[in-house]
Amino acid sequence: MVIFILILQTFLLSAEHGDLHERILKVSDEIITTPDSTYLYFKRGQLFYQNENYGMSLADFLQAENMGFKNYNHQL
């Protein structure tokens, strides 16, 4: 039973990260068509963070901030 639960958890986590990957790709495509959207960089930064890709997350947060995005929820 324990092995079944571990396999199920692994499957659900990989599916969750797969969904995040697809969402990251979608926002990346949106950035290509609208490169001046600070919100899209912030949004992708949040997705990278959820996907535990902290370097890319920070890069997008800094890009959004450098472009003038002001959202105090991401300032911890």
Side-chain angles (χ1 to χ4, degrees):
M1 184 67 174
V2 173
I3 293 174
F4 174 74
I5 292 172
L6 290 175
I7 292 171
L8 182 60
Q9 285 176 338
T10 303
F11 174 75
L12 292 174
L13 286 175
S14 66
E16 179 179 308
H17 282 273
D19 178 54
L20 283 172
H21 181 70
E22 293 299 320
R23 291 167 57 196
I24 289 168
L25 291 176
K26 183 177 182 228
V27 174
S28 296
D29 287 342
E30 292 176 27
I31 288 173
I32 291 171
T33 60
T34 315
D36 59 339
S37 173
T38 59
Y39 173 72
L40 289 176
Y41 284 99
F42 179 73
K43 182 177 176 180
R44 189 173 67 178
Q46 289 178 314
L47 293 171
F48 276 135
Y49 188 84
Q50 291 173 13
N51 202 34
E52 299 176 0
N53 190 336
Y54 303 118
M56 296 296 288
S57 175
L58 180 59
D60 275 354
F61 287 149
L62 291 174
Q63 178 68 22
E65 187 173 61
N66 289 337
M67 294 171 65
F69 186 76
K70 301 291 184 226
N71 182 323
Y72 300 103
N73 290 329
H74 78 282
Q75 296 177 354
L76 302 174

